[in-house]
């Protein structure tokens, strides 16, 4: 991409701008912010765009500004110190080196808002894993899609309904580069797509010392429809979906081969990616191996993570589509149609259609779920693949998800943690004195930062509402529903996630009059912020947004319910850092893990959640609250009634009184004890550092040395 001409003294700004290392290093973000704070905001914290906006005079002035040069030199020093891998965790693992990288295939990656190629939790986790792989020094490469139109932008209409718009990415203002091969030319791979050939190129994203390669079908030689194949995430059209997954799996393997990359381990992140194993088998068969030999060789160094605890969440393609797109492919594997179909089915062929998760489970040697409960659910769900074993012996382990702390922790809290826990704390979460050190944090210092972060969130919410009003794009009651009446000193609860039925976003409204009494208490008020998107084709979930949005207009709530539009990584940072309580109430056994509550806890925000996913492991009775422990999950209405009652009681008897119990300096000491317990208990156990080290020991090493 075009590189901005810069004064020689600061010419390495280009290098840092095109390496997303800056996205989780405060010294780099401070550097770009110092160039022009207003433009930094207008550019949506994108240094590539920022540099394109700045005038030559402004840059020349910066190159002679002693204060800016101090920031510049400090950032460059930090960058250069991080780039070598000789001082990393992986470098210290003598005798356990990989001959090639881990190839991590994922349908989406959430790295930063300047590269909107993600939809939700799966992408957030994938992005956090890649960043942590860099921090640990793991040899690692990511493979996904470019998605130039990304996921949709959300707008709520006057009537309270979600509307979707798509925005084309400006490649010249994104932190990406065309991907050259070792010979210097641009790689172009081709994939048979039924009756035609589809071509694809790749873009490269620098992420510290590792690279992410993103496939793009918008190349000459493709039909107009094929050029748009990789434009958007998660199309509802089944035929487009199978085409995307063919390109991701088969095309991804061919792209790594074109780049001269020879992985040691192949990691399939969810079943969408599992055609990669078929392409690797085909390649070995073309080199002389039998199908059986190739199958076992590929299986040996392939690992798989499943994220979905309900059958409907797994991709299953009808046999007609498999016949259309693979009739000319399975002969190259050395097998017939029945054998091919059996790869995506139970041995007794009891599954209707070709199941991508079954394909992943059959072609991988190590499989994991993403929490302890999800592991149990997955072993039950896929027991049919191992009918001769007891359910508890089904070989699906669990490695509970974590989050990348430098990405999600507020800079103000990072400084506080460094003061009390020491510099480099995010690289040594497990040191024995962590809990005591967190509990020693002065209440006033922590409370001052928590107050500031809430105020920052409320300013953001008000700014969004004011912008809509100023642009004449909202009526008065809509502005109220967007949080225009919110107060910066009121207990603030956050509910932000993908809107879908099993997450029960409207559960807290089950007894509206009771909730109004809780919220409108003049001495101890409460306000609730909702945010989240529904899939464009999921109309029942869109109704949930409509329901919450309409309730937010109800005068009985006194303007203390808000729905924030267009939930993305940018909005998420304000929410997980700025609310006081993180609310999560999914239907039991339908939340695989969840990570948003982890992000909140890292910022001193206690979790209020059903004991499902990660919270069943994280809750210790002192670091937050558990919703409705004993309910009949076979009766949804009974479950809803019991959980809603539990939420109301927890708010009335525990959350609200504790938050507003203050000393003469207006400090809520009992509340801060809970907040500090959340920090101390969640940081070491639910970070990507712990998670990825577990992947290394339990998944990657065994796959390399089988």
């Amino acid at each position: 991409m075009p590189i901005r001409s810069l004064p020689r003294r600061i010419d390495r700004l280009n290098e840092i701008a095109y390496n997303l290392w800056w996205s989780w290093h405060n010294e780099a973000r401070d550097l770009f912010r110092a160039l022009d704070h207003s433009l930094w905001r207008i550019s949506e914290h994108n240094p590539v765009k920022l540099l394109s906006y700045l005038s030559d005079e402004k840059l020349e002035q910066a190159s002679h500004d002693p204060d800016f040069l101090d920031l510049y030199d400090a950032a460059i020093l930090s960058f250069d110190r991080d780039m070598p891998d000789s001082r990393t965790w992986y470098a210290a693992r003598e005798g356990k080196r990989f001959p090639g990288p881990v190839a991590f295939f994922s349908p989406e990656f959430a790295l930063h808002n300047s590269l909107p190629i993600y939809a939700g939790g799966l992408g957030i986790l994938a992005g956090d894993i890649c960043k942590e792989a860099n921090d640990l020094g793991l040899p690692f490469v990511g493979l996904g899609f470019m998605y130039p139109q990304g996921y949709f932008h959300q707008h709520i209409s006057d009537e309270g309904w979600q509307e979707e718009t798509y925005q084309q990415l400006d490649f010249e203002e994104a932190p990406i580069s065309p991907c050259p091969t070792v010979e210097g030319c641009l790689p172009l791979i081709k994939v048979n797509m039924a009756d035609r050939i589809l071509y694809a190129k790749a873009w490269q994203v620098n992420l510290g010392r590792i690279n992410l390669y993103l496939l793009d079908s918008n190349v000459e030689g493709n039909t107009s429809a094929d050029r748009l194949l990789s434009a958007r995430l998660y199309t509802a059209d089944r035929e487009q979906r199978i085409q995307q997954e063919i390109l991701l799996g088969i095309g991804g393997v061919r792209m790594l081969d074109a780049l001269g990359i020879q992985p040691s381990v192949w990691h399939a992140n969810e079943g969408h990616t599992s055609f990669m194993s078929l392409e690797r088998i085909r390649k070995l068969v073309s080199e002389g191996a039998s199908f059986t030999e190739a199958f076992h060789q590929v299986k040996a160094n392939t690992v798989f993570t499943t994220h979905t605890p309900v059958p409907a969440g797994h991709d299953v393609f009808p046999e007609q589509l498999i016949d259309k797109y693979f009739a000319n492919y399975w002969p190259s594997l050395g097998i017939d149609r029945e054998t091919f179909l059996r790869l995506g089915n139970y041995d007794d062929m009891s599954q209707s259609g070709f199941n991508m998760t079954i394909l992943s489970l059959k072609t991988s040697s190590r499989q994991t779920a993403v929490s302890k409960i999800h592991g149990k659910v997955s072993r039950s769900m896929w027991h049919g693949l191992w009918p001769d074993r007891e359910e508890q012996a089904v070989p699906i382990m669990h490695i509970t998800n974590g989050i990348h702390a430098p990405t999600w922790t507020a800079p103000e809290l990072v400084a506080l943690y460094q003061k009390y826990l020491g510099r480099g704390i995010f690289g040594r979460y497990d040191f024995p004195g962590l809990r005591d050190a967190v509990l020693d944090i002065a209440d006033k210092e922590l409370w001052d930062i928590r107050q500031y972060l809430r105020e920052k969130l409320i300013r953001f919410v008000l700014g969004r509402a004011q912008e809509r009003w100023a642009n004449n794009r909202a009526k008065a009651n809509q502005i109220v529903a967007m949080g225009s009446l919110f107060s910066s000193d009121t207990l603030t609860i956050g509910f932000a996630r993908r809107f879908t039925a099993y997450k029960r976003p409207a559960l807290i409204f089950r007894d509206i009059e009771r909730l109004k009494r809780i919220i409108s208490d003049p001495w101890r008020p409460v306000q609730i912020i909702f945010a989240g998107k529904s899939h464009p084709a999921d109309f029942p979930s869109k109704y949930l947004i409509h329901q919450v949005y309409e309730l937010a207009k109800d005068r009985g709530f006194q303007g203390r319910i808000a729905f924030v539009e267009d939930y993305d990584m940018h909005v998420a940072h304000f929410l997980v850092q700025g609310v006081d309580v993180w609310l999560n109430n999914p239907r039991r056994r339908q939340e695989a893990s969840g990570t948003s509550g982890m992000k909140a806890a890292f910022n001193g925000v206690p979790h209020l959640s059903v004991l499902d996913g990660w919270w069943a492991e994280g809750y210790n009775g002192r670091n937050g609250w558990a919703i409705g422990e004993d309910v009949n999950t076979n009766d949804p209405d009974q479950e809803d009634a019991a959980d809603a009652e539990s939420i109301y009681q927890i708010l009335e008897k525990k959350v609200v009184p504790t938050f507003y119990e203050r000393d003469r300096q207006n400090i809520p000491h009992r509340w801060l004890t809970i907040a500090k317990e959340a920090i101390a208990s969640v940081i070491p156990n639910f970070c990507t550092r712990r998670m990825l080290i577990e992947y290394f020991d339990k998944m990657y090493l065994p796959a390399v040395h089988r």
Side-chain angles (χ1 to χ4, degrees):
M1 304 309 293
I3 300 295
R4 176 67 190 268
S5 177
L6 298 171
R8 183 171 185 144
R9 178 63 174 85
I10 57 172
D11 61 0
R12 293 189 67 188
L13 285 173
N14 279 322
E15 182 182 357
I16 296 182
Y18 279 92
N19 191 316
L20 278 160
W21 174 90
W22 57 258
S23 69
W24 73 95
H25 287 83
N26 293 332
E27 61 269 40
R29 294 198 299 274
D30 289 344
L31 173 67
F32 289 111
R33 185 184 295 109
L35 279 169
D36 191 309
H37 190 224
S38 296
L39 284 181
W40 177 245
R41 291 182 58 207
I42 293 170
S43 70
E44 299 174 310
H45 302 175
N46 176 355
V48 174
K49 186 184 291 189
L50 171 73
L51 291 178
S52 73
Y53 286 174
L54 286 168
S55 65
D56 291 338
E57 293 77 12
K58 188 87 172 181
L59 289 165
E60 187 64 33
Q61 180 183 1
S63 71
H64 298 284
D65 182 341
D67 292 335
F68 178 79
L69 293 177
D70 285 344
L71 291 173
Y72 175 84
D73 291 339
I76 294 297
L77 180 64
S78 179
F79 181 74
D80 289 342
R81 188 185 295 121
D82 274 7
M83 285 308 102
D85 59 7
S86 57
R87 297 164 54 190
T88 64
W89 174 89
Y90 176 75
R93 306 279 292 201
E94 293 184 13
K96 296 183 178 179
R97 311 288 285 183
F98 295 171
V102 175
F104 184 76
F105 278 56
S106 179
E108 54 174 304
F109 291 88
L111 305 170
H112 184 264
N113 228 42
S114 58
L115 199 57
I117 55 171
Y118 61 92
L122 183 68
I124 296 289
L125 181 71
D128 281 8
I129 286 174
C130 289
K131 293 173 184 177
E132 191 63 59
N134 169 80
D135 295 347
L136 290 173
L138 280 180
F140 207 84
V141 58
L143 198 292
F145 274 128
M146 183 62 246
Y147 297 125
Q149 293 182 17
Y151 206 44
F152 67 89
H153 291 279
Q154 180 192 57
H155 169 73
I156 306 300
S157 71
D158 292 349
E159 293 75 30
W161 294 99
Q162 172 179 289
E163 297 175 343
E164 303 92 24
T165 58
Y166 291 86
Q167 183 176 336
Q168 184 75 19
L169 179 70
D170 187 338
F171 282 48
E172 295 189 358
E173 294 182 345
I176 58 173
S177 304
C179 180
T181 62
V182 289
E183 291 81 16
C185 57
L186 295 178
L188 193 68
I189 56 101
K190 60 182 182 179
V191 177
N192 289 332
M193 201 66 72
D195 57 351
R196 64 195 186 280
I197 300 294
L198 183 140
Y199 299 91
K201 60 184 177 182
W203 298 88
Q204 178 175 312
V205 178
N206 299 318
L207 203 67
R209 66 178 72 84
I210 71 172
N211 293 326
L212 177 62
Y213 299 102
L214 304 175
L215 298 172
D216 184 0
S217 64
N218 186 19
V219 298
E220 291 185 12
N222 286 338
T223 66
S224 57
D226 283 346
R227 295 186 77 150
L228 292 173
L229 180 61
S230 62
R232 297 180 182 178
L233 286 85
Y234 300 135
T235 173
D237 182 274
R238 301 307 296 167
E239 187 155 8
Q240 287 184 354
R241 178 71 72 91
I242 196 173
Q243 291 173 4
Q244 285 186 331
E245 295 186 10
I246 288 169
L247 178 57
L248 178 61
I250 295 175
V253 173
R254 294 180 183 178
M255 183 58 71
L256 291 183
D257 191 49
L259 293 167
I261 297 171
Q262 298 181 325
S264 295
V265 181
W266 299 74
H267 186 164
N269 191 40
E270 194 60 288
H272 311 298
T273 65
S274 59
F275 286 141
M276 74 177 191
S277 292
L278 298 183
E279 176 60 13
R280 294 177 58 220
I281 292 170
R282 184 206 63 78
K283 185 179 178 185
L284 290 172
V285 169
S286 73
E287 295 169 356
S290 69
F291 171 78
T292 300
E293 292 169 338
F295 178 88
H296 288 293
Q297 188 173 334
V298 166
K299 180 173 181 172
N301 65 355
T302 302
V303 301
F304 170 58
T305 302
T306 177
H307 296 264
T308 310
V310 291
H314 299 265
D315 273 339
V316 180
F317 295 113
E319 289 185 9
Q320 299 94 309
L321 283 180
I322 297 298
D323 287 338
K324 179 176 180 177
Y325 287 96
F326 286 94
N328 294 324
Y329 190 86
W330 59 65
S332 65
L333 301 174
I335 59 176
D336 58 19
R337 178 180 184 271
E338 182 179 355
T339 305
F340 186 90
L341 291 176
R342 201 176 293 275
L343 289 171
N345 212 315
Y346 295 102
D347 289 342
D348 62 4
M349 298 296 285
S350 59
Q351 167 80 48
S352 177
F354 190 93
N355 189 300
M356 296 294 284
T357 300
I358 291 179
L359 175 61
S360 293
L361 290 167
K362 285 189 171 183
T363 56
S364 57
S365 61
R366 312 286 287 183
Q367 304 88 14
T368 187
V370 292
S371 72
K372 185 175 181 179
I373 288 179
H374 183 226
K376 183 178 180 180
V377 170
S378 296
R379 287 187 289 274
S380 175
M381 182 184 299
W382 304 112
H383 188 199
L385 290 172
W386 293 272
D388 56 333
R389 302 192 185 194
E390 295 293 326
E391 184 177 301
Q392 62 269 24
V394 168
I396 300 176
M397 69 179 83
H398 80 272
I399 297 175
T400 304
N401 284 343
I403 67 154
H404 186 245
T407 293
W408 295 104
T409 309
E412 296 81 7
L413 283 168
V414 172
L416 184 68
Y417 296 162
Q418 288 175 342
K419 175 181 176 180
Y420 282 89
L421 282 68
R423 297 192 66 82
I425 179 58
F426 291 148
R428 52 186 185 89
Y429 302 111
D430 54 353
F431 83 93
L434 182 142
R435 184 175 184 277
D436 289 340
V438 171
L439 297 181
D440 284 342
I441 293 173
D443 281 2
K444 185 178 187 309
E445 290 184 70
L446 178 57
W447 183 239
D448 285 346
I449 292 174
R450 292 295 323 142
Q451 293 272 70
Y452 168 77
L453 293 173
R454 189 188 322 107
E455 291 169 2
K456 185 177 177 182
L457 166 64
I458 301 308
R459 287 198 305 270
F460 171 76
V461 171
L462 296 178
R464 282 278 186 101
Q466 290 165 358
E467 181 184 6
R468 283 286 300 274
W469 178 261
N471 293 331
N472 198 27
R473 292 189 294 121
K475 298 176 182 178
N477 61 350
Q478 284 183 282
I479 299 301
V480 170
M482 295 180 68
S484 61
L485 299 182
F486 267 38
S487 168
S488 62
D489 59 0
T490 295
L491 169 61
T492 305
I493 298 172
F495 184 101
R497 52 197 16 90
R498 180 168 58 90
F499 264 60
T500 190
Y502 84 85
K503 294 181 184 288
R504 301 189 293 179
L507 180 64
I508 198 170
F509 295 103
R510 187 175 176 95
D511 186 337
I512 290 178
E513 295 308 313
R514 187 172 180 182
L515 181 60
K516 285 179 179 178
R517 290 195 298 271
I518 293 171
I519 283 179
S520 61
D521 186 315
W523 304 109
R524 303 186 304 186
V526 177
Q527 55 198 16
I528 308 175
I529 298 179
F530 290 87
K533 296 177 178 178
S534 292
H535 189 282
D538 187 351
F539 294 102
S541 295
K542 286 185 174 183
Y543 178 75
L544 292 173
I545 291 178
H546 173 75
Q547 183 181 9
V548 171
Y549 197 79
E550 290 301 301
L551 286 166
K553 298 177 184 177
D554 187 332
R555 289 180 179 272
F557 286 117
Q558 299 183 4
R560 292 181 179 143
I561 303 288
F563 185 92
V564 177
E565 291 179 330
D566 209 20
Y567 184 51
D568 58 11
M569 284 186 77
H570 183 60
V571 176
H573 276 87
F574 285 99
L575 288 171
V576 299
Q577 295 171 9
V579 299
D580 298 298
V581 177
W582 197 260
L583 176 63
N584 184 39
N585 44 239
R587 204 168 290 288
R588 286 162 182 77
R589 304 300 183 264
Q590 295 189 30
E591 175 110 302
S593 177
T595 59
S596 58
M598 302 174 190
K599 300 178 182 76
F602 272 56
N603 287 283
V605 177
H607 201 38
L608 169 57
S609 177
V610 167
L611 286 172
D612 197 20
W614 79 276
W615 191 230
E617 301 166 52
Y619 176 63
N620 65 14
R622 304 180 306 276
N623 59 354
W625 303 275
I627 298 171
E629 297 180 51
D630 299 311
V631 295
N632 178 9
T633 57
N634 294 320
D635 184 340
D637 189 65
Q638 181 180 338
E639 181 181 9
D640 290 350
D643 286 344
E645 175 63 26
S646 177
I647 291 172
Y648 297 140
Q649 289 198 22
I650 291 170
L651 291 177
E652 291 165 342
K653 297 179 181 180
K654 297 179 181 179
V655 173
V656 176
T658 306
F659 182 83
Y660 284 106
E661 180 187 292
R662 311 288 174 87
D663 69 5
R664 292 183 178 181
Q665 285 73 45
N666 200 36
I667 297 174
H669 295 286
R670 243 182 358 120
W671 180 270
L672 292 170
T673 298
I674 298 170
K676 286 191 275 190
E677 184 66 36
I679 295 166
S681 61
V682 175
I683 280 183
N685 297 307
F686 299 98
C687 57
T688 44
R689 186 176 182 87
R690 184 274 311 156
M691 174 193 174
L692 211 51
I693 289 173
E694 279 198 60
Y695 267 106
F696 181 87
D697 290 331
K698 298 178 180 180
M699 302 275 279
Y700 298 158
L701 268 182
V704 169
H705 297 296
R706 283 177 69 90

